[in-house]
Amino acid sequence: MGGVFEPLKAGGAAIALDEIEISILRSLAVQLLELIGPGDPEPDPDADPLAALFASSDGPTEPPSDPALARLFPDAYGGPETPADADAEELRAHSAEFRRFTENDLRSRKREDALAVVRSLDGLSPAGDGAAVLEVDGELRLRWLGALNDLRLTIAARLDITEDDESAVLFRLPDDDPRKPMVMAYLWLGGLQETLIETLTGTH
């Protein structure tokens, strides 16, 4: 499988990972969990379910100050760079309202994606050749796809790059550049994401 996802005949995808690759992926997923933050507390079984429903929708209205979190949870309309005029103020108000009702659920989904990656990696045991085969299908494949995308967005924010300039920036760094390991992780995750998408779309 050569370190990329390949389709399985019975459906799903598989990838061979050695101990170092497992460790890197798990570490990145754990760091993503720490960045997203802890989950909501367990609901009180004696609480009013209607009140709990409205409470769960009462999320933040302002975008995160951390650039990585801002990349993971962008404004739905406009953004902080939108010029200050009447239309822009209206867009920001709509964005704040949309964020209030959606960000908590989005955080929960991203947290669940990263947790699924950690748990599936914890179940791997490299064989004598130093590699273990991870198989993902159904919901787990989508969880992996979501987590890989979030990891790439986070690293891109830390490297201060966008898709428009990634080729120029990433492929020309000298080996002694301190960003090089993060760049290599970013490119590797991109390969994993691309091949996993191919197994979903049948274009592999």
Side-chain angles (χ1 to χ4, degrees):
M1 276 169 274
V4 297
F5 282 100
E6 293 192 358
L8 294 171
K9 291 182 179 179
I15 183 172
L17 298 168
D18 62 28
E19 289 189 18
I20 294 176
E21 291 167 334
I22 293 170
S23 176
I24 291 173
L25 279 171
R26 191 185 187 286
S27 175
L28 290 173
V30 168
Q31 290 177 59
L32 179 61
L33 284 168
E34 292 172 349
L35 177 67
I36 294 171
D40 297 328
E42 288 295 321
D44 182 355
D46 299 323
D48 180 355
L50 189 59
L53 173 64
F54 281 101
S56 67
S57 300
D58 194 14
T61 57
E62 295 295 324
S65 58
D66 185 303
L69 284 174
R71 191 78 67 98
L72 291 174
F73 306 103
D75 276 324
Y77 312 99
E81 304 304 321
T82 305
D85 57 30
D87 290 338
E89 287 301 319
E90 185 176 354
L91 284 176
R92 278 192 278 269
H94 288 319
S95 253
E97 189 72 357
F98 185 83
R99 184 182 295 278
R100 182 168 77 90
F101 283 97
T102 61
E103 183 169 311
N104 284 345
D105 286 342
L106 185 56
R107 280 181 181 262
S108 293
R109 194 193 76 203
K110 291 180 181 296
R111 190 181 300 113
E112 289 166 4
D113 289 347
L115 271 172
V117 169
V118 171
R119 288 167 178 162
S120 55
L121 291 172
D122 284 346
L124 290 182
S125 299
D129 60 358
V133 176
L134 171 69
E135 295 185 2
V136 295
D137 58 10
E139 183 181 350
L140 183 56
R141 186 161 46 162
L142 297 177
R143 294 285 187 198
W144 264 82
L145 192 58
L148 289 172
N149 185 63
D150 289 342
L151 287 172
R152 293 193 80 234
L153 287 174
T154 301
I155 294 176
R158 296 296 185 232
L159 292 171
D160 195 24
I161 61 172
T162 65
E163 290 185 2
D164 294 335
D165 64 10
E166 86 172 29
S167 59
V169 172
L170 300 185
F171 292 107
R172 298 178 184 174
L173 289 179
D175 290 340
D176 59 353
D177 191 299
R179 296 172 295 171
K180 190 75 171 186
M182 195 178 295
V183 166
M184 298 305 295
Y186 178 81
L187 295 173
W188 177 48
L189 291 170
L192 297 183
Q193 183 182 18
E194 181 179 356
T195 54
L196 186 53
I197 290 173
E198 289 173 351
T199 71
L200 280 165
T201 58
T203 58
H204 200 288

